[in-house]
Amino acid sequence: MSFPISSLPASHCDLLRIRGLRYHVRRWGDARLPMLFLGHGWLDVSATFAPLIAPLLDRWQVLAPDWRGFGHTQWPQDGYWFADYLADLHALLAHYSADAPVVLAGHSMGAQIMSVYAGLHPQRARALIVLDGLYMPDSPAETAPDKLRRWMQRWPGETRDRVYPSFEVLARRVRAKHSQLSSEQALFIARCWAAADGYGQIRLLADPKHHLPSAVPYRAAESLAVWRHITAPTLFIDGADSPFRKMLSPEQALERRACFQQRHEISIEGAGHMLHFDAPLPTARAMADFLSDLP
């Protein structure tokens, strides 16, 4: 499904000091409207959400941070730990909406961040939207020794920035993985994901240390325990063709979603994991319809 590049809504950007890092937050819409915080996925950036923003702007202002180590937010020197994303979000909400609850929405990794935060601080979440997320498979405890060894062997390993000779070359790489995109759309994504480095090359706006192994196995039981504290109405929007749905058995998927006390589910036909690439308008309309029922 296509999205018109020429009519994407304009955003403006804030630069904040959050927990010692320069944080970049993209904002769309009227600052007097209630807030919807939108969290991107792994190796993505806030700017690629632009195609699904317009249908939300009648009732909401949308704020989307670049998580630490992505986009235009600073890269920490000591690596990446999931709890830091939660603490960053907590600080961002304290800055933008210290008292009023907000809508939390997230894609993929962003969905994990937003959902866990909604369980830790249920009073802060007016509603929760999960965009093709919460599919991370459980890691048995027996995997912990190998993960720790690999992390110790590789960290801090040598990493190299991913560079390309031009945005057009990167756009062709994008289109090779996302063939549903037009050349113009792939170039838009490339310009969101990368920036000119001043030396005649294009560099991805993602810290290459994200590719180093993690020291911590994913323990689904811990997420389940947190999700059971969520009280906000929750909408799951799944890509019907998303390969991530195959990472869990139907029983595992049902166990996770059963944690959410007020849940609604919708599947977008013809869309894969990247809902905001594949089907931005149907995804945005589903979000807007769900949120229209909120007081």
Side-chain angles (χ1 to χ4, degrees), residues 137-221:
D138 190 31
S139 295
E142 292 76 15
T143 65
D146 284 342
K147 287 186 75 71
L148 281 167
R149 288 190 195 100
R150 288 182 63 230
W151 178 78
M152 293 175 70
Q153 290 165 359
R154 293 285 308 278
W155 191 270
E158 290 188 9
T159 56
R160 292 186 299 173
D161 290 346
R162 301 202 173 191
V163 298
Y164 301 87
S166 68
F167 285 111
E168 288 74 18
V169 171
L170 176 56
R172 289 197 289 272
R173 294 288 299 273
V174 171
R175 201 173 182 204
K177 291 188 176 181
H178 304 281
S179 58
Q180 77 283 4
L181 297 175
S182 69
S183 297
E184 183 185 29
Q185 291 161 353
L187 184 59
F188 164 76
I189 300 299
R191 292 187 180 278
C192 292
W193 279 356
D197 66 358
Y199 299 95
Q201 293 184 306
I202 305 303
R203 293 180 184 271
L204 290 182
L205 295 172
D207 186 346
K209 290 197 293 291
H210 288 296
H211 293 279
L212 292 174
S214 170
V216 181
Y218 177 66
R219 305 178 184 94

Side-chain angles (χ1 to χ4, degrees), residues 112 133-139 218 220 224 227 236 242-257:
Q112 182 73 16
L134 314 191
Y135 293 129
M136 178 73 74
D138 190 31
S139 295
Y218 177 66
L224 294 171
W227 291 332
F236 289 88
S242 173
F244 284 76
R245 301 178 72 174
K246 300 175 183 178
M247 296 175 72
L248 300 178
S249 69
E251 294 76 19
Q252 289 171 323
L254 181 60
E255 179 186 25
R256 295 186 183 194
R257 297 198 176 184

